[in-house]
C-alpha cells in the first residue's frame, strides 16, 4: 500500500505552522517584519487554495446579476448604465457585498469580524 502524499494545501499549512512556531520566535528584530510578511503571504495562498466556497459565492453573485461569471462584463454593464434603476442598483449593491465578503474571506478574514 502506498502512503498518501500530502497535497499542496497540507504542505503550505505545515510550512506556515513551522514558520510561526519554530522560526519567527527566533528571528532577530531586523528580520521579524520580513518573517511576518512571509507568514501572511503563506496564509493568503493557503486560504486561496481552499477557497472553493468563496469562489462559488462570487461566481453565483456575478451569474445572478449579469448571466455570466465575468467581472469585465460586469464593469461594461455598469458603464452602459444597466444598473441605473433603483431595483437594479439594489441588486448590484447586494452582489458587490457578496463578492467583497467572499474576497475578504480569502485575503483578510479578520476584517470580517
Amino acid at each position: 500500500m502506498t502512503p498518501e502524499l500530502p497535497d499542496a494545501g497540507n504542505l503550505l499549512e505545515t510550512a506556515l505552522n513551522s514558520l510561526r512556531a519554530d522560526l519567527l520566535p527566533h528571528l532577530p528584530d531586523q528580520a521579524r517584519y520580513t518573517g511576518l510578511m512571509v507568514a501572511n503571504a503563506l496564509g493568503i495562498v493557503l486560504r486561496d487554495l481552499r477557497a472553493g466556497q468563496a469562489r462559488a459565492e462570487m461566481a453565483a453573485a456575478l451569474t445572478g446579476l449579469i448571466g455570466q461569471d465575468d467581472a469585465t462584463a460586469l464593469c461594461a454593464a455598469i458603464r452602459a448604465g444597466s444598473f441605473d434603476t433603483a431595483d437594479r442598483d439594489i441588486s448590484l449593491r447586494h452582489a458587490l457585498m457578496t463578492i467583497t465578503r467572499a474576497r475578504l474571506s480569502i485575503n483578510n478574514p479578520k476584517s470580517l469580524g
Side-chain angles (χ1 to χ4, degrees):
M1 178 188 261
T2 306
E4 202 166 313
L5 297 174
D7 64 10
N10 296 115
L11 291 172
L12 271 173
E13 185 174 20
T14 300
L16 179 57
N17 290 336
S18 296
L19 174 64
R20 286 180 176 155
D22 301 331
L23 297 177
L24 279 176
H26 303 290
L27 288 178
D29 289 342
Q30 66 271 19
R32 185 154 175 77
Y33 177 78
T34 302
L36 290 170
M37 184 178 61
V38 170
N40 187 49
L42 288 173
I44 291 170
V45 171
L46 180 61
R47 288 189 302 273
D48 191 49
L49 278 174
R50 296 178 172 167
Q53 178 64 31
R55 293 198 192 296
E57 290 172 7
M58 289 186 277
L62 281 171
T63 302
L65 196 60
I66 59 170
Q68 58 185 322
D69 180 11
D70 183 355
T72 303
L74 175 61
C75 293
I78 291 170
R79 281 192 299 276
S82 298
F83 299 97
D84 288 351
T85 62
D87 61 326
R88 294 291 287 158
D89 178 69
I90 290 169
S91 297
L92 174 64
R93 289 172 187 263
H94 178 71
L96 291 176
M97 285 298 289
T98 299
I99 292 165
T100 300
R101 284 189 184 107
R103 288 190 181 277
L104 284 172
S105 74
I106 298 168
N107 296 320
N108 191 1
K110 289 180 184 177
S111 67
L112 293 172

